[in-house]
Amino acid sequence: MTRMTHDEYLPSRALSPFIKAYKIIGSRAEITNRILPDTSFPLAFRLRGQVSLIVDKEKIPLPFATFSGLRKSAKLINYAANAKALIVLFKEGAIQAFFRDPVHELFNQSLSLQEMVPRSEISEIEERLNDTAANASKIVLIEKFLLRKLTYREPDKMVIKAISKIKEAKGNLKVKELVNHLYVSRDVLEKRFRKATGATPKQFAHIIRMNAVIKDLPTTSSLQDIAFQSGHYDLPHFTKNFKTFTGQTPLQFSASPNW
């Protein structure tokens, strides 16, 4: 079975408050990777070969640099033989330090970075990445690009507290409880949270909750127990949400070679 290669790099001290990690992934043979929804914004740079999004079994080639919003469902990314990509994973609530565009409009969407950054800058970084062989040197080039974009804005402390509370509850937290905990109105929370994270608190909590469910799958024998523990009122409702999130039923997902 073909396996993808994954090399992970930590950000420099200057970018560590904003960047979670850099990943360089690829495969010698053609492979399709299932990407589950996550709370980190990914910015992908194609380093080599063709990388495509699969929609209704059709391959849609991705541009050199692709910026993706948070999602409610999995997506399939196809790597042609010998393709390679560099992924920047932003920390939750940090994306606005680099890009002023309304990132909540990108929910469930992807677009070329060219829509947010001048074409000349994209061409320059593409040329330099092509001329650089070592992975570590490619990371340095990406960091220089990001540092030029950094506005050094402080993260929204209220949003950071909200994110922490949602994670602490593994996503099983109603927006009303969050509002009461933070002593703000629902409208204020919704607007500031969407601006900082690219999703509503409810959408964000759902991603956290479903990823917690997936983490528990190998250690829990009863799907019924998982369904109730994750706030679902019955097993069919849980199975429907799980399939929307992953593209597979719980049993199919557990048996999948991507798991």
Side-chain angles (χ1 to χ4, degrees):
M1 180 170 56
T2 303
R3 293 286 186 182
M4 301 194 74
T5 58
H6 293 76
D7 295 312
E8 186 166 320
Y9 300 82
L10 294 177
S12 64
R13 181 178 298 181
L15 288 172
S16 61
F18 312 98
I19 304 298
K20 184 180 291 184
Y22 305 102
K23 293 186 177 183
I24 295 182
I25 60 179
S27 180
R28 290 185 178 181
E30 181 178 0
I31 191 171
T32 296
N33 193 21
R34 185 181 300 273
I35 308 295
L36 299 181
D38 190 61
T39 52
S40 296
F41 268 88
L43 172 57
F45 294 90
R46 177 170 44 79
L47 300 178
R48 185 178 65 210
Q50 184 60 62
V51 181
S52 305
L53 175 66
I54 296 182
V55 179
D56 296 329
K57 298 183 179 181
E58 180 184 353
K59 294 179 184 177
I60 301 175
L62 294 173
F64 160 68
T66 307
F67 190 71
S68 299
L70 272 57
R71 303 179 63 86
K72 65 179 181 180
S73 57
K75 61 180 178 180
L76 298 176
I77 301 295
N78 177 268
Y79 285 77
N82 296 313
K84 191 176 182 181
L86 188 158
I87 316 295
V88 181
L89 291 176
F90 294 90
K91 288 185 175 180
E92 295 96 339
I95 193 67
Q96 284 287 302
F98 301 89
F99 305 103
R100 296 185 179 182
D101 301 65
V103 291
H104 67 272
E105 293 182 1
L106 284 177
F107 190 81
N108 239 31
Q109 302 292 326
S110 297
L111 81 166
S112 171
L113 185 62
Q114 191 173 294
E115 300 295 323
M116 305 172 73
V117 175
R119 181 180 298 182
S120 58
E121 293 185 34
I122 302 296
S123 298
E124 179 185 359
I125 194 168
E126 182 175 11
E127 182 179 345
R128 291 189 176 185
L129 284 172
N130 287 336
D131 291 339
T132 305
N135 286 348
S137 299
K138 291 180 186 291
I139 298 296
V140 170
L141 287 174
I142 294 298
E143 289 219 322
K144 287 180 179 179
F145 166 75
L146 291 172
L147 284 168
R148 289 197 300 269
K149 294 298 174 187
L150 185 60
T151 59
Y152 296 99
R153 277 185 280 174
E154 288 289 328
D156 189 323
K157 293 181 180 179
M158 185 197 74
V159 172
I160 298 301
K161 286 181 180 179
I163 291 172
S164 178
K165 195 69 178 176
I166 292 171
K167 287 185 173 182
E168 183 183 318
K170 293 185 176 181
N172 289 306
L173 187 69
K174 295 186 181 300
V175 177
K176 184 178 180 180
E177 297 175 71
L178 200 54
V179 164
N180 291 338
H181 174 75
L182 296 171
Y183 303 105
V184 295
S185 70
R186 181 167 184 146
D187 185 56
V188 168
L189 174 63
E190 293 271 356
K191 287 181 179 178
R192 287 169 60 176
F193 198 94
R194 283 193 310 156
K195 181 179 179 181
T197 69
T200 66
K202 184 177 180 180
Q203 290 168 333
F204 192 94
H206 178 70
I207 295 172
I208 294 290
R209 182 167 65 254
M210 295 307 295
N211 275 305
V213 165
I214 289 168
K215 187 177 180 181
D216 287 342
L217 271 183
T219 59
T220 307
S221 58
S222 171
L223 289 178
Q224 191 86 37
D225 289 343
I226 296 178
F228 289 133
Q229 290 169 9
S230 59
H232 295 84
Y233 52 81
D234 59 25
L235 186 55
H237 182 227
F238 164 74
T239 302
K240 180 181 178 182
N241 277 347
F242 190 95
K243 189 170 184 179
T244 297
F245 192 82
T246 67
Q248 298 173 308
T249 67
L251 293 178
Q252 289 171 334
F253 185 83
S254 296
S256 171
N258 291 325
W259 170 239

